[in-house]
Amino acid sequence: MENFKTELDADGILLATFDVPGKSMNTFTKSALADLSAIAERAKTDVEVKGVVITSGKTTGFCAGADLEEMLGGAWEAKSDPNDPEGALKAGFTAAFEMNRVYRQLETCGKPVAVAINGLALGGGLELSLACHYRVLNDGPKTQVGLPEIKIGLFPGGGGSQRLPRLIGAQAALMAMSEGKSFKPKEALQAGIVHEVVPVGQEVEAAKTWIKTKGDAVALWDKKDYKIPGGGPYHPAGSQVFIMGNALLRKQSYGNYPAVVNLMRAVYEGLQLPFDTAIRVESRYFVNTLQTPQAKAMIRTFFFNMQALGKGGGRPAGQPKTDPQQVAVLGAGMMGAGIAYVSALAGIRVILIDRDQAAADKGKAHCEGLIKKAVSRGKMTPEKGQGILDLIVPTPDYGQITGSDLVIEAVFENAELKATVTKDAEAKLYAGDKADTAIFGSNTSTIPISLLGKASGKPENFIGIHFFSPVDKMLLVEIITTDKTSDATLAKAMDYVLKIKKTPIVVNDSRFFFANRCFIPFTAEGLHLWSEGYAPALIDNVGRMTGMPRGPLEMMDDVALDLLVKITSETAKAMGDAYVPIPGEKEVADMVADGRLGRKNGKGFYDYPEAGGNKSLWSGLSDKFTVTTAEAEPELVEEIKKRLLYIQAVTAARCFEEGVITDPREADVGSILGWGFAPWSGGIVSLIDAIGAAKFVEELDALAAKHGDRFTPPQLLRDMATKGETFYGRFGKKEAKAA
Ligand code: NAD
């Protein structure tokens, strides 16, 4: 047996230790399932075996679920075969049902089966545990259990959608599965997901004790008197769960996620059926989900791409790995303080510099506030918090920069000021023992890096390191190179970003780089709609229906209207005659002049009550543009949705054409982490790939004819349409997975 080691003890308990060779973490492959099936068969037929305990031989945890690579490699997938559509579907079902079949075989083997969960058990790992009659969990700091499939566009397809509701009730189970929630040991015990929590190292013994003392070989749901906790779909209370749950899930997902809909269906239908039929229904919905473009794109982006970029996917080859120990941050304002915090959090010493001591101290105080919050929420011990704070040295003294591996400049957005501080800082950075290895990064959001680099004595060491606000929460960092930036500098900047546990994407220098360049047109399209007489409520509602986290107008409030006005006026200045004004920009400028700055001062497109609570649209909006369309038929809603999403996607395509971004994985991950681009799509270029270049070009041409040149597809898209190419096909040289 390749994946499990088995050992029969003197009491007749068969200990099966899951330990996939050559892997740091256990996952379920076809081969591991075959082994488990053999174990179940032995338990059933071998009279010596009185019971089974399953545990893991890995220090990393119990099991992370099904092997996605194998699943998407076709083994689990219903391949469409034009000659035999029925047969292909059946094959897909059989493959997907195998996990259910084997887990059920174990559950009904006639001997008590206990699981000793010695660490993380997610997805198929928890589903296996749910098929065991008794569950012991250790209380290790990294131990957690959960069914997170929804986060990658799937839902639990190894019996989880059937066993969890039967165990803890439909409401609690639906909440856990639709959020992909993970439970720490204590929470798992309280929720009734496990029977017992024991100190690390005692889980196998506790599982064996249960078999010897109580050992019940019949699952809860196979007992005659079994009732679904809280009632099933036809129970008066249980039915409420589905009526409310349906509405709630619809409200949260706007029907954009097939996995959410199929989860609900599987639970609703499954709970009305005998268990063995219920798991077949689950598998059918699972195969159906797996075949959707949304699931394929989400798995690719959220699993494979994020993993690849998290390991430095775009890092130039052949550059030695570096490990920055000290960073100097210039400017202790909102961004600088945030950068100081995330750096110190990763154990990096930070010299936090501002114009005077008081300003630098203010930056450190901001970090202290973040630490206090984390401590009060139990996410950090006070000692750890103090340790992080001790790493931050606030000072106005540029002399302290010497010895740093990296400077990050985050002073006011002013090119002259940035040039001055660059010169002053470089004089200290390129002195001392790090003089030959240190690099300089700027966090500018709008000024071209090549322009700022002119102030540098070592332009090959000069790079953009663009964070997003709030720095402690936002996971994306754009790294901007110029034609002078060396590969060594790029590698060092990436090593720093990876060390602070953010995801870097590499962008070539251009106005607004990648993220802001694609995001700003979303807000601008909101202004177009507003000026065309669409009701602001309609615009933002449809905006949210696209899967964007917020509508364009409320998003503008969140960014700050004065900042957007400043960006607009600077863009106009920089572009000169080529600038095409956006209808509505004057009205927004007037709002700013009247003191409506957005969420930050409680007044923007919306009014934000001081005492908290729901925001409401500002009544003055209708004085700016008369509302002529307050309601929209489904067809019009679809058109507005397309306008809001496609204007971003066509901009991303232009970025590829211009070489601003070159890797579809970075574009997809960047769009989701940077500005929350409709996650159901798998990201901004996956959206185009799923539509198909030819159809996308056709739709863009139609939008351009109706709404203007901003929708006109770039030549790149027309080429791709002619050749039938996708972004992953054309640009995905770096081992693009799946889909
Ligand atoms: P901020 O006004 O909050 O902070 C700027 C800080 O720089 C202030 O504390 C100021 O005292 C300090 N400073 C000015 N001159 C200095 C000098 N000579 N030496 C040292 N410190 C000096 O601004 P912010 O929002 O933190 O933005 C900083 C930079 O980050 C800007 O380039 C901005 O474009 C960029 N950025 C901002 C955001 C955002 O959302 N705010 C996002 C990404 C990038």
Side-chain angles (χ1 to χ4, degrees):
M1 203 172 283
E2 198 187 329
N3 305 284
F4 283 85
K5 292 186 193 75
T6 55
E7 194 186 329
L8 191 65
D9 73 7
D11 296 315
I13 298 176
L14 185 70
L15 179 65
T17 306
F18 193 10
D19 199 351
V20 180
K23 292 269 168 109
S24 61
M25 170 62 81
N26 288 325
T27 53
F28 266 105
T29 54
K30 277 166 99 176
S31 137
L33 281 175
D35 290 350
L36 190 65
S37 180
I39 291 167
E41 182 59 22
R42 178 168 173 200
K44 183 177 174 179
T45 54
D46 187 342
V47 288
E48 305 273 299
V49 176
K50 306 290 180 227
V52 181
V53 170
I54 296 175
T55 192
S56 142
K58 303 283 186 211
T59 49
T60 45
F62 180 71
C63 171
D67 188 299
L68 284 172
E69 225 154 317
E70 192 185 88
M71 190 190 282
L72 290 172
W76 291 54
E77 204 182 342
K79 283 262 179 282
S80 57
D81 177 355
N83 299 319
D84 182 15
E86 280 287 300
L89 263 180
K90 273 190 201 140
F93 173 81
T94 310
F97 187 67
E98 187 59 7
M99 191 179 243
N100 258 328
R101 189 192 68 75
V102 173
Y103 288 1
R104 185 64 176 154
Q105 185 192 0
L106 186 73
E107 188 172 57
T108 56
C109 72
K111 308 278 172 67
V113 182
V115 62
I117 312 171
N118 53 338
L120 145 163
L122 298 177
L126 177 58
E127 290 180 297
L128 164 63
S129 308
L130 293 171
C132 297
H133 306 115
Y134 193 72
R135 290 170 287 283
V136 182
L137 187 63
N138 80 16
D139 66 356
K142 295 213 167 130
T143 299
Q144 49 170 320
V145 299
L147 298 173
E149 290 85 346
I150 212 82
K151 293 184 179 167
I152 54 166
L154 296 175
F155 77 92
S161 79
Q162 301 307 311
R163 289 192 178 88
L164 196 63
R166 282 170 170 82
L167 186 65
I168 64 173
Q171 183 172 0
L174 274 170
M175 276 170 65
M177 291 187 287
S178 62
E179 287 169 19
K181 180 176 158 54
S182 279
F183 295 80
K184 295 212 167 94
K186 232 193 235 158
E187 296 170 326
L189 186 67
Q190 266 163 11
I193 298 172
V194 298
H195 297 91
E196 195 179 345
V197 172
V198 298
V200 176
Q202 295 179 18
E203 52 281 336
V204 171
E205 216 33 60
K208 285 188 170 182
T209 304
W210 175 79
I211 290 184
K212 283 186 275 188
T213 55
K214 302 208 176 92
D216 182 351
V218 182
L220 202 58
W221 29 92
D222 289 328
K223 292 186 192 292
K224 283 225 159 56
D225 56 353
Y226 171 73
K227 282 203 171 59
I228 298 166
Y234 283 123
H235 184 277
S239 65
Q240 288 302 313
V241 171
F242 289 92
I243 295 167
M244 299 302 289
N246 237 342
L248 208 69
L249 288 184
R250 180 87 204 168
K251 182 173 175 232
Q252 284 163 1
S253 67
Y254 293 98
N256 285 324
Y257 297 84
V260 173
V261 179
N262 279 346
L263 165 69
M264 197 71 184
R265 287 175 175 154
V267 175
Y268 180 77
E269 291 172 29
L271 286 186
Q272 301 173 53
L273 294 165
F275 195 83
D276 288 289
T277 317
I279 50 177
R280 297 183 76 82
V281 167
E282 179 196 74
S283 285
R284 289 219 172 93
Y285 281 122
F286 186 79
V287 175
N288 177 281
T289 310
L290 198 54
Q291 286 176 306
T292 60
Q294 290 92 329
K296 287 182 192 179
M298 283 181 77
I299 293 170
R300 181 172 62 192
T301 297
F302 286 93
F303 192 78
F304 293 111
N305 292 349
M306 285 209 187
Q307 215 169 45
L309 299 190
K311 289 182 189 153
R315 197 176 178 280
Q319 294 298 329
K321 183 108 186 73
T322 58
D323 183 15
Q325 301 297 318
Q326 180 173 304
V327 53
V329 180
L330 302 183
M334 186 172 82
M335 296 304 287
I339 296 166
Y341 172 73
V342 295
S343 303
L345 200 60
I348 301 173
R349 186 163 186 263
V350 182
I351 311 297
L352 183 57
I353 295 182
D354 211 300
R355 288 175 293 189
D356 50 47
Q357 188 66 44
D361 287 343
K362 202 170 150 213
K364 182 164 176 172
H366 173 78
C367 301
E368 199 172 355
L370 291 174
I371 288 169
K372 275 195 181 139
K373 214 192 258 174
V375 170
S376 74
R377 289 184 182 164
K379 291 197 170 142
M380 198 185 276
T381 61
E383 296 73 37
K384 175 147 194 249
Q386 190 56 49
I388 292 166
L389 214 50
D390 290 346
L391 285 172
I392 303 172
V393 183
T395 176
D397 174 16
Y398 276 55
Q400 297 216 34
I401 293 173
T402 307
S404 299
D405 295 288
L406 164 72
V407 164
I408 299 178
E409 171 277 303
V411 299
F412 299 135
E413 188 73 342
N414 175 305
E416 290 85 51
L417 173 65
K418 284 184 191 287
T420 310
V421 301
T422 301
K423 287 196 181 108
D424 293 351
E426 281 194 352
K428 306 294 176 193
L429 180 68
Y430 299 133
D433 59 348
K434 297 274 175 73
D436 295 331
T437 55
I439 62 166
F440 191 103
S442 171
N443 180 48
T444 177
S445 35
T446 53
I447 309 172
I449 299 298
S450 13
L451 184 103
L452 294 179
K454 289 198 172 121
S456 168
K458 290 194 183 186
E460 68 281 10
N461 288 8
F462 198 88
I463 197 160
I465 304 180
H466 183 219
F467 286 84
F468 293 79
S469 174
V471 179
D472 57 305
K473 294 216 174 72
M474 299 297 285
L475 292 172
L476 186 72
V477 176
E478 282 180 312
I479 298 192
I480 302 113
T481 55
T482 71
D483 52 6
K484 298 210 167 66
T485 311
S486 71
D487 274 1
T489 302
L490 172 59
K492 284 175 196 169
M494 289 189 88
D495 290 343
Y496 161 71
V497 173
L498 293 170
K499 183 163 181 175
I500 59 168
K501 299 206 163 59
K502 306 259 178 214
T503 303
I505 63 169
V506 183
V507 178
N508 288 314
D509 200 14
S510 89
R511 176 159 278 277
F512 299 134
F513 316 129
F514 175 69
N516 286 339
R517 176 152 169 207
C518 296
F519 164 70
I520 291 170
F522 170 66
T523 57
E525 202 56 31
L527 291 184
H528 275 283
L529 289 160
W530 183 36
S531 72
E532 289 166 28
Y534 287 98
L538 177 69
I539 299 169
D540 274 352
N541 280 336
V542 178
R544 268 178 265 118
M545 286 166 76
T546 64
M548 293 293 293
R550 282 178 290 286
L553 306 180
E554 48 189 351
M555 203 85 123
M556 290 175 73
D557 270 3
D558 287 350
V559 172
L561 299 185
D562 55 334
L563 183 64
L564 287 167
V565 167
K566 194 164 166 245
I567 290 175
T568 311
S569 68
E570 298 211 345
T571 308
K573 227 191 290 163
M575 290 178 68
D577 290 346
Y579 182 73
V580 185
I582 306 160
E585 68 179 44
K586 184 190 162 294
E587 285 69 17
V588 178
D590 290 346
M591 284 164 69
V592 170
D594 290 342
R596 302 196 74 84
L597 308 182
R599 185 187 275 278
K600 67 179 178 186
N601 79 338
K603 290 183 287 187
F605 279 93
Y606 291 80
D607 284 319
Y608 300 81
E610 254 173 54
N614 289 341
K615 62 183 191 241
S616 54
L617 278 159
W618 175 48
S619 56
L621 292 179
S622 49
D623 299 339
K624 308 262 178 211
F625 291 106
T626 310
V627 172
T628 51
T629 312
E631 280 175 41
E633 294 298 318
E635 230 171 72
L636 185 55
V637 168
E638 281 313 304
E639 187 187 295
I640 300 173
K641 277 163 82 174
K642 279 184 188 160
R643 286 176 64 175
L644 290 170
L645 285 184
Y646 290 11
I647 195 67
Q648 301 176 67
V650 71
T651 312
R654 286 189 196 116
C655 288
F656 272 91
E657 185 173 76
E658 294 165 24
V660 172
I661 194 157
T662 55
D663 185 339
R665 301 175 306 176
E666 296 188 328
D668 273 344
V669 170
S671 68
I672 290 175
L673 296 184
W675 73 100
F677 185 85
W680 60 264
S681 64
I684 200 157
V685 298
S686 278
L687 177 85
I688 305 178
D689 279 359
I691 297 168
K695 175 105 176 80
F696 189 55
V697 162
E698 192 188 308
E699 300 219 50
L700 284 178
D701 279 333
L703 285 172
K706 203 164 163 190
H707 300 291
D709 267 353
R710 62 187 183 282
F711 286 101
T712 303
Q715 191 54 41
L716 168 72
L717 278 178
R718 294 199 192 279
D719 284 352
M720 288 171 61
T722 314
K723 295 182 187 145
E725 286 176 331
T726 60
F727 277 92
Y728 277 86
R730 182 171 174 133
F731 295 98
K733 47 212 178 275
K734 296 158 196 161
E735 37 103 48
K737 300 260 183 205

